[in-house]
Amino acid sequence: MINNIPQIKHTQSGNFFLMAGPCVIESEEIALRIAERIVGITDKLEIPLIFKGSYRKANRSRLDSFTGIGDEKALKILNKVSREFGVPTVTDIHESHEAALAAEYVDVLQIPAFLCRQTDLLIAAALTGKAVNVKKGQFLSAGSMKFAVEKIQDSGNPNVILTDRGNTFGYQDIIVDYRGIPEMRSFGVPVVMDCTHSLQQPNQSSGVTGGKPALIETIAKAAIAVGADGLFIETHPDPANAKSDGANMLHLDLLEDLMVKLIRIRKAIS
C-alpha cells in the first residue's frame, strides 16, 4: 500500500483497495450521500477506500459542459467527506499552481492521463508530500510510465500510484491491454485499474463522451484476476443525470454486488 495516506482502513484484510465516488463534486448533498453509501459497503466488506471526486473538470469537449461548482467550495466538500466518514480523498489537478491548494484539502493528488508527461505538474504534486496517483496516458505504453514514477520519486516523494485507463483504439474507442498491469507493478508501486474511463467512447459527434457501462464488471474482474492492487470506479445514484461522465459510470446500486464478486476472485488467486 501507500505509506502516507491517513485513515485508510482494512489494510490487513488482503483485499484490493477502491478509489470511488462521483466524477465531479456536484453539491455537498450528493457528495455526502454517495460517500455514505460507499463507506457503508466498503466497511462491511473490509475494502480500503479512497473517496474520489474532481473539484473541477478541465478537460471538456464543449464550452458549455459542466466544469464545477467552484474550486474551493468543492475542495471543502471533499474535506468534509474525509472528516465525517474517516476516509482519505483524491482529486485531480491540472496545472502546477493547483497542487498546493488541493493538497490543503485532500490526501491524494491525481494527475489526469492527458497530463501524465507534464514534468512541472508531476514535480509540483510530488513536492506537496501527498501521495500522487498518475493515470497512464491512453497514448502511452505501460513501460513508459516508469518515467512518471521516477520524476515523482526523484523529487523526494516515494508515494506513487499508477492507474491504467486503457489505450486509444482508433478515434472513438479505448481498449485495455492487461499486460500493462503486471508491467507497471514491476516498478514497485501500486497499480489501479480505472474501470469506468477505460470504457469511454471519446470524440463523439455530439461533443459528449459516450461509454459502455455494461462492461464495467468485465473490466474489473479481469483486472483483479491479473493482480491489480486497486480499482477506480466512478459511481452515482443517477448516472443519466450526472453532471459529468454519466455515460460510463456505475450505478451506485450495483456497487456492492460487484465488490462481493471481486472479493471472491481476489481470494481465488491469493
Side-chain angles (χ1 to χ4, degrees):
M1 278 298 295
I2 308 94
N3 297 325
N4 72 337
I5 298 181
Q7 305 164 314
I8 196 159
K9 304 176 182 179
H10 314 309
T11 53
Q12 302 305 313
S13 68
N15 280 334
F16 52 88
F17 67 95
L18 178 66
M19 305 173 82
C23 177
V24 64
I25 299 299
E26 301 176 12
S27 70
E28 180 176 309
E29 185 272 330
I30 292 176
L32 292 175
R33 179 153 52 106
I34 294 172
E36 183 176 24
R37 286 281 304 279
I38 299 174
V39 169
I41 292 166
T42 55
D43 276 357
K44 176 182 176 181
L45 299 177
E46 297 190 330
I47 298 171
L49 172 67
I50 303 172
F51 182 80
K52 181 269 167 190
S54 297
Y55 70 89
R56 173 161 44 88
K57 300 301 294 183
N59 176 25
R60 303 286 85 189
S61 296
R62 291 173 20 177
L63 189 60
D64 61 353
S65 295
F66 179 80
T67 58
I69 59 175
D71 292 359
E72 195 161 7
K73 182 177 180 181
L75 286 166
K76 286 180 177 178
I77 292 171
L78 283 164
N79 187 255
K80 185 171 183 176
V81 167
S82 183
R83 288 185 283 107
E84 289 208 2
F85 296 103
V87 295
T89 55
V90 57
T91 198
D92 35 348
I93 59 174
H94 316 92
E95 297 185 60
S96 300
H97 67 82
E98 297 176 25
L101 173 64
E104 293 180 23
Y105 297 94
V106 302
D107 304 289
V108 183
L109 299 180
Q110 181 168 285
I111 308 300
F114 282 130
L115 301 176
C116 67
R117 298 186 72 235
Q118 298 298 101
T119 300
D120 288 348
L121 181 60
L122 292 170
I123 292 173
L127 292 178
T128 67
K130 301 286 182 165
V132 183
N133 178 35
V134 187
K135 286 199 168 182
K136 184 188 79 64
Q138 50 270 62
F139 47 87
L140 288 177
S141 69
S144 299
M145 292 304 292
K146 68 180 178 180
F147 302 112
V149 173
E150 289 172 356
K151 287 175 183 178
I152 295 166
Q153 292 180 341
D154 290 350
S155 298
N157 189 336
N159 294 296
V160 186
I161 309 166
L162 292 179
T163 295
D164 195 347
R165 48 100 71 234
N167 305 296
T168 299
F169 186 69
Y171 291 109
Q172 294 179 315
D173 206 359
I174 291 171
I175 59 170
V176 177
D177 181 352
Y178 287 97
R179 296 174 300 177
I181 292 176
E183 183 171 5
M184 290 192 290
R185 291 187 83 235
S186 74
F187 306 151
V189 300
V191 174
V192 173
M193 184 72 234
D194 183 339
C195 303
T196 44
H197 290 98
S198 60
L199 290 167
Q200 283 183 333
Q201 293 178 301
N203 305 317
Q204 300 297 303
S205 59
S206 64
V208 178
T209 297
K212 300 176 182 177
L215 292 173
I216 290 172
E217 182 172 319
T218 300
I219 296 291
K221 285 178 174 177
I224 293 299
V226 299
D229 299 286
L231 299 175
F232 179 106
I233 296 177
E234 290 188 341
T235 183
H236 195 281
D238 186 11
N241 290 301
K243 298 288 189 182
S244 177
D245 280 2
N248 52 266
M249 277 189 182
L250 180 72
H251 197 292
L252 190 55
D253 289 345
L254 301 177
L255 183 63
E256 182 170 356
D257 181 64
L258 175 59
M259 293 300 106
V260 169
K261 292 175 181 176
L262 297 176
I263 288 171
R264 292 181 188 141
I265 295 173
R266 177 76 169 207
K267 288 180 179 177
I269 66 171
S270 296

